[in-house]
């Protein structure tokens, strides 16, 4: 069933059905969570992709069975989003999920989008305003929509997301605020929770905080920001993260990708 709105084009918005054989990413994440299977995500910032490195990252990603790519950045200045998505698609079948820093970072060439509500902040545009603007575009698109509560956690230094979002992160020692925010996000119906210290954060999110938040919610928990070592990725997973995201460290040293993936996928076996 479509619905119509009274807009100049009198368009009828009909959500395009996904290809019937394409598994839902949300279902995959929920199933993985219930079976204790951990997912590894590589974040690709289209601005920072160096062409030489990109091929290497994609080769390693296939080899390491990376589960998903997140594609985005706090600010994209080179208009390379579509090109980036196309070159990934030409290279491999790893699903690409948009991780938009703003409502200009949208593309039908991806498979899904983190429809992010910045629930740690009090910026109305990032809680609902931009979503209203993006809704008609997304309704027509074939993208799978992943309603995601995004919580910015203090990572020890001001990150781009902090500045661009004009919000304050949750202090790392204010566990009760983080836990209650996550619970409220789940109660509001958000399907995923992303705890992020921000790209390149000097201090990644601590295991105690991850454990507390993970114990308070039933939806899949994504954790990222400042994870530079495979040991840290494994610790994050053991603390209760269902999905680990690494960007910066792999951008700088693509050779880390294989070890990081092994740390996440195999972390529970080594306990
Ligand atoms: C940032 O969580 C992601 O939003 C990944 O962070 O780039 O520091 O790995 P890094």
């Amino acid at each position: 069933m479509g619905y119509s709105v009274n807009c100049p084009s009198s368009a009828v918005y009909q959500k395009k059905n996904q290809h019937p054989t394409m598994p839902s990413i949300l279902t995959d994440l929920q199933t993985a969570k219930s079976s204790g299977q951990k997912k590894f995500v590589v974040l690709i910032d289209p601005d920072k992709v160096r062409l030489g490195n990109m091929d290497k990252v994609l080769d390693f990603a296939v080899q390491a069975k990376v589960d998903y790519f997140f594609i985005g950045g706090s600010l994209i200045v080179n208009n390379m989003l579509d090109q980036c998505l196309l070159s990934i698609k030409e290279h491999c079948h790893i699903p690409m999920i948009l991780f938009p820093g703003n409502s200009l970072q949208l593309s039908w060439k991806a498979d899904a989008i983190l429809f992010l509500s910045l629930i740690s902040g009090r910026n109305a545009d990032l809680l609902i305003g931009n979503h209203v603007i993006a809704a008609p575009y997304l309704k027509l698109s074939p993208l799978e929509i992943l309603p995601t509560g995004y919580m910015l956690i203090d990572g020890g230094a001001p990150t781009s997301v902090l500045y661009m979002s004009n919000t304050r992160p949750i202090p790392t020692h204010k566990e009760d605020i983080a836990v209650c925010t996550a619970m409220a996000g789940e109660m509001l119906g958000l399907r995923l929770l992303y705890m992020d210290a921000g790209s390149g954060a000097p201090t990644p999110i601590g295991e105690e905080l991850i454990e507390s938040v993970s114990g308070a919610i039933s939806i899949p928990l994504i954790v990222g920001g400042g994870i530079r070592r495979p040991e840290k990725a494994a610790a994050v997973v053991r603390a209760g993260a269902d999905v680990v995201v690494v960007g910066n460290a792999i951008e700088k040293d693509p050779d880390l990708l294989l070890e990081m993936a092994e740390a996440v996928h195999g972390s529970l076996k080594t306990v």
Side-chain angles (χ1 to χ4, degrees):
M1 266 237 318
Y3 72 91
S4 58
V5 292
N6 187 19
C7 65
S9 64
S10 301
V12 174
Y13 291 87
Q14 174 81 54
K15 179 77 188 164
K16 289 217 167 104
N17 289 328
Q18 287 193 308
H19 193 280
T21 57
M22 184 188 260
S24 146
I25 290 172
L26 185 59
T27 307
D28 180 46
L29 290 169
Q30 290 165 335
T31 310
K33 182 177 177 74
S34 41
S35 62
Q37 189 201 341
K38 304 298 178 175
K39 299 283 187 184
F40 181 56
V41 171
V42 172
L43 170 66
I44 295 186
D45 180 337
D47 266 353
K48 295 189 186 149
V49 165
R50 275 178 247 124
L51 287 175
N53 265 4
M54 181 71 166
D55 281 351
K56 198 168 176 185
V57 168
L58 296 179
D59 284 343
F60 283 164
V62 172
Q63 212 180 314
K65 297 191 169 55
V66 163
D67 296 286
Y68 300 108
F69 288 120
F70 283 177
I71 315 288
S74 294
L75 181 67
I76 293 186
V77 295
N78 286 327
N79 198 20
M80 295 278 284
L81 180 60
D82 278 349
Q83 200 178 320
C84 175
L85 291 163
L86 283 174
S87 24
I88 296 174
K89 203 170 260 180
E90 274 166 18
H91 208 102
C92 65
H93 298 293
I94 298 171
M96 300 176 292
I97 304 175
L98 295 174
F99 174 35
N102 58 56
S103 47
L104 293 177
Q105 292 177 29
L106 301 177
S107 170
W108 285 29
K109 296 183 170 59
D111 298 294
I113 179 168
L114 295 178
F115 200 46
L116 299 162
S117 187
L118 207 169
I119 57 175
S120 59
R122 299 296 179 266
N123 178 339
D125 282 336
L126 301 180
L127 283 163
I128 181 65
N130 288 345
H131 310 69
V132 174
I133 294 166
Y137 175 96
L138 294 175
K139 187 79 179 174
L140 286 173
S141 83
L143 296 169
E144 182 180 351
I145 312 295
L146 303 169
T148 304
Y150 183 82
M151 285 170 40
L152 186 60
I153 309 289
D154 191 0
T159 53
S160 303
V161 59
L162 183 152
Y163 183 83
M164 294 303 293
S165 69
N166 198 18
T167 67
R168 282 191 294 186
I170 297 177
T172 189
H173 61 287
K174 295 289 183 192
E175 208 174 293
D176 51 351
I177 299 181
V179 166
C180 295
T181 306
M183 289 194 308
E186 181 171 23
M187 288 172 187
L188 280 167
L190 297 167
R191 312 300 289 277
L192 303 170
L193 192 95
Y194 191 165
M195 277 215 288
D196 196 359
S199 200
T203 315
I205 301 173
E207 280 90 84
E208 274 180 35
L209 186 58
I210 296 170
E211 208 173 325
S212 305
V213 169
S214 142
I217 56 170
S218 320
I219 52 178
L221 175 62
I222 305 168
V223 174
I227 298 171
R228 292 178 182 78
R229 300 293 322 146
E231 300 74 26
K232 177 64 187 177
V236 162
V237 159
R238 284 197 295 270
D242 301 296
V243 181
V244 175
V245 185
V246 180
N248 242 276
I250 288 170
E251 251 165 46
K252 288 188 183 135
D253 178 10
D255 290 326
L256 263 181
L257 196 155
L258 292 167
E259 271 184 89
M260 285 282 193
E262 172 57 28
V264 173
H265 290 144
S267 59
L268 300 185
K269 290 180 217 149
T270 57
V271 179

